[in-house]
């Protein structure tokens, strides 16, 4: 008979294998198939993946495939506005990433990289929403990283933060808000 520790390890192994299969499905299948499945069950699957990330935040074997799947979904935003709308407005993706950034800004480079992809592929109204939700956390993460004396730490944050700010600025409404906000400058 297996101990609870052994069962837990077995459950993690099965979970990692399942995530590996999902990653292949969501990153290697045709765009048409991914778009159809994301429209059909994207919000539920997204929220389930975020729950796994929240449950095992320090296990890169679990979190990394989840980030890959979420990043692959952002690539569908431009070809199917409903995918972007549902993942940004109806799933827990936006509040979850905000929470991850707020919990540990110094260890949030991977979160910022995922946010970068979401903002890059969002339409103007979604960029406005994301700016309102994420602005303070993005700036706080970068300013805290900027207090370190290790240049590589700053560089890890500089690229995604610069990309996020740049892509927010492509939306005229957000650009005006950014221009009038002292926090950005």
């Amino acid at each position: 008979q297996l101990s609870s520790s052994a069962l837990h390890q077995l459950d993690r192994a099965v979970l990692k294998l399942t995530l590996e299969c999902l990653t292949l499905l969501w990153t290697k299948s045709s765009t048409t198939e991914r778009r159809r499945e994301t429209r059909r069950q994207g919000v539920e699957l997204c929220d389930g993946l975020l729950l796994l990330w929240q449950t095992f935040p320090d296990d890169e074997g679990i979190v990394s495939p989840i980030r890959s799947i979420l990043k692959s979904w952002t690539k569908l935003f431009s070809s199917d506005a409903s995918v972007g709308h549902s993942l940004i407005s109806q799933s827990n993706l936006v509040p979850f990433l905000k929470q991850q950034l707020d919990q540990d800004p110094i260890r949030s480079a991977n979160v910022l990289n995922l946010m970068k992809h979401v903002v890059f592929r969002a339409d103007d109204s979604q960029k406005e929403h994301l700016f309102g939700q994420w602005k303070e956390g993005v700036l706080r993460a970068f300013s805290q990283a900027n207090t370190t004396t290790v240049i590589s730490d700053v560089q890890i944050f500089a690229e995604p933060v610069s990309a996020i700010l740049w892509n927010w600025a492509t939306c005229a409404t957000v650009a005006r808000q950014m221009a009038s906000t002292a926090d950005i400058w």
Side-chain angles (χ1 to χ4, degrees):
Q1 201 177 61
L2 293 173
S3 68
S4 65
S5 164
L7 280 173
H8 183 68
Q9 291 301 326
L10 182 62
D11 288 346
R12 273 192 180 206
V14 169
L15 181 57
K16 288 177 182 180
L17 182 60
T18 303
L19 284 168
E20 223 175 284
C21 293
L22 280 173
T23 302
L24 287 173
L25 172 71
W26 291 106
T27 59
K28 304 297 181 198
S29 62
S30 74
T31 302
T32 304
E33 183 66 25
R34 287 194 321 251
R35 190 172 35 243
R36 182 176 57 241
E37 287 304 312
T38 304
R39 257 192 319 245
R40 193 170 69 79
Q41 59 185 358
V43 171
E44 293 83 9
L45 187 54
C46 179
D47 289 347
L49 291 171
L50 296 175
L51 181 60
L52 287 174
W53 183 342
Q54 188 174 21
T55 304
F56 303 103
D58 297 323
D59 191 333
E60 275 300 304
I62 293 173
V63 175
S64 182
I66 292 170
R67 284 193 311 263
S68 294
I69 292 167
L70 295 172
K71 180 181 169 186
S72 76
W73 285 347
T74 68
K75 295 176 183 177
L76 301 174
F77 289 9
S78 61
S79 62
D80 189 339
S82 69
V83 171
H85 173 75
S86 64
L87 291 177
I88 290 173
S89 302
Q90 297 172 354
S91 77
N92 290 316
L93 180 65
V94 173
F96 178 81
L97 293 178
K98 180 182 186 305
Q99 176 189 25
Q100 292 298 304
L101 196 59
D102 290 346
Q103 281 179 353
D104 194 357
I106 295 300
R107 289 184 20 181
S108 61
N110 287 323
V111 173
L112 286 165
N113 275 311
L114 183 53
M115 291 171 132
K116 171 185 77 173
H117 289 283
V118 174
V119 172
F120 174 68
R121 294 182 173 96
D123 65 25
D124 281 357
S125 67
Q126 293 163 347
K127 284 179 183 171
E128 288 179 47
H129 174 71
L130 294 170
F131 181 74
Q133 296 295 308
W134 291 347
K135 176 187 76 166
E136 290 175 13
V138 168
L139 294 175
R140 186 174 38 257
F142 185 67
S143 70
Q144 287 184 0
N146 223 356
T147 61
T148 182
T149 57
V150 181
I151 298 298
S152 62
D153 289 350
V154 176
Q155 291 171 333
I156 290 169
F157 289 88
E159 190 278 329
V161 168
S162 297
I164 290 167
L165 294 173
W166 180 264
N167 285 300
W168 274 336
T170 63
C171 171
T173 306
V174 174
R176 280 191 293 278
Q177 290 177 39
M178 290 171 72
S180 66
T181 302
D183 294 344
I184 303 289
W185 311 113

